[in-house]
């Protein structure tokens, strides 16, 4: 998927949400932002995605951006690294984001290799 296509899908979603009447649009209320922790692990030097674990409460999965190793990291709520998992035969060309989800077959992490900073994809 190219970066332009991803942007188009996002714009269509936002336009569709904005077209609804105000009473039908969900409203998100957030607490004021606060610093929970700083990622100090030198191996995690260009965070580009974050997803809450579906199996381990309090654990977040993250990864580095383009050109890095094909590793994902489990960090806790204070940003301390708890695990590193190397993905075999999955190159990190330009990982941009990740998501966690559950379906009938189990719990999954999805990595979006959708970046194209050089305009070559």
């Amino acid at each position: 998927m190219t970066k332009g296509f991803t942007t188009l899908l996002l714009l269509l979603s936002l336009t569709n949400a904005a077209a609804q009447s105000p009473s039908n649009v969900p409203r998100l209320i957030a607490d004021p932002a606060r610093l929970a922790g700083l990622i100090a692990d030198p191996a995690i030097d260009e965070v580009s995605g974050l997803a809450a674990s579906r199996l381990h409460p309090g654990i977040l999965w993250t990864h580095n951006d383009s050109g890095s190793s094909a590793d994902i990291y489990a960090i806790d709520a204070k940003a301390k690294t708890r695990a590193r998992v190397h993905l075999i035969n999955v190159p990190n060309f330009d990982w941009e984001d990740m998501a966690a989800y559950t379906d009938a077959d189990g719990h999954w992490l999805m990595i979006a290799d959708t970046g194209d900073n050089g305009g070559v994809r």
Side-chain angles (χ1 to χ4, degrees):
M1 184 178 288
T2 66
K3 188 174 182 180
F5 187 65
T6 302
T7 303
L8 178 61
L9 289 176
L10 177 61
L11 290 174
L12 287 174
S13 295
L14 291 174
T15 301
N16 187 31
Q20 298 177 9
S21 68
S23 62
N24 293 336
V25 176
R27 302 201 185 280
L28 301 178
I29 300 171
D31 292 331
R34 63 178 177 80
L35 179 64
L38 294 173
I39 298 174
D41 185 336
I44 309 172
D45 61 355
E46 192 179 358
V47 172
S48 189
L50 193 66
S53 174
R54 297 294 180 120
L55 287 176
H56 307 286
I59 294 295
L60 301 169
W61 287 99
T62 190
H63 61 79
N64 286 315
D65 199 353
S66 62
S68 297
S69 61
D71 296 322
I72 57 175
Y73 302 87
I75 60 174
D76 64 21
K78 299 287 186 187
K80 182 177 178 184
T81 303
R82 296 299 181 177
R84 174 182 166 188
V85 177
H86 180 72
L87 305 178
I88 299 171
N89 296 325
V90 182
N92 179 350
F93 183 78
D94 198 353
W95 292 0
E96 294 296 342
D97 205 356
M98 68 188 318
Y101 69 98
T102 302
D103 67 13
D105 294 323
H107 305 287
W108 303 91
L109 288 172
M110 181 184 311
I111 299 172
D113 190 356
T114 56
D116 190 17
N117 294 341
V120 297
R121 295 176 85 184

